[in-house]
Amino acid sequence: MQVKSRHHLRSDDVSAVETAVGERLGVDLDGDAYELVEFEESDWEVVLVDGEPLVAYFDEEPFLTVRGANATDPDDRLVIVDAGAVSFVSDGADVMRPGIADVRGEITAGDLVLIAEESHEKVLAVGRSRVDGDELLGDAGKVVDSLHFVGDDLYSFSG
């Protein structure tokens, strides 16, 4: 991905990112340097925290990237998938109810969520929930739209 612009965030923008991520995921970023990176041929906007792409904007909403989630161990908005769903989610597939093993935290339809695998709870993707958390478990239906996943261009980007 070709970088279009890169600049340091102002302190009020840093506070907004830290607060949003902290309230949504229970994570304290606490970095020393925050830079916003925009790309030439992509809508991605990434926040580098101490040089690492830990946060991205999804529909203008700051949220952890897959790498950011695995670096910070969030405890909210987690959708845990079973082993059978891992390869699909890792390739960018949307999440279906039968593949969900557990749901952690408060989730409302339209919320951004982290999708993690069951055995080690490593985050594989970021998605947007189509339903409330209590409706995520079940036998049929697509319930989380994939937005960012292991191996996509954003995951491969290094600051």
Side-chain angles (χ1 to χ4, degrees), residues 1-133:
M1 294 190 324
Q2 198 72 4
V3 173
K4 179 166 94 175
S5 70
R6 181 176 179 155
H7 64 276
H8 287 278
L9 291 177
R10 297 184 323 233
S11 62
D12 56 333
D13 292 330
V14 169
S15 293
V17 168
E18 288 178 340
T19 299
V21 170
E23 287 176 354
R24 291 181 184 119
L25 299 164
V27 169
D28 181 16
L29 289 176
D30 196 32
D32 293 324
Y34 290 74
E35 293 179 88
L36 180 68
V37 178
E38 296 175 277
F39 301 98
E40 288 288 342
E41 297 177 15
S42 171
D43 291 336
W44 292 117
E45 287 186 337
V46 176
V47 177
L48 302 178
V49 180
D50 296 333
E52 295 297 320
L54 301 186
V55 176
Y57 284 88
F58 299 92
D59 299 323
E60 300 181 20
E61 185 179 347
F63 202 74
L64 290 176
T65 61
V66 170
R67 288 170 61 188
N70 286 321
T72 58
D73 196 27
D75 60 7
D76 202 2
R77 292 198 190 183
L78 290 169
V79 175
I80 311 296
V81 296
D82 62 25
V86 168
S87 64
F88 296 103
V89 171
S90 296
D91 285 337
D94 295 333
V95 180
M96 307 294 282
R97 274 191 186 103
I100 298 175
D102 193 16
V103 177
R104 301 214 185 113
E106 292 293 318
I107 298 173
T108 303
D111 281 351
L112 291 168
V113 296
L114 298 168
I115 304 156
E117 52 84 23
E118 190 175 24
S119 2
H120 301 98
E121 296 190 7
K122 292 293 181 190
V123 173
L124 305 171
V126 173
R128 189 166 303 276
S129 182
R130 292 178 166 204
V131 298
D132 292 340

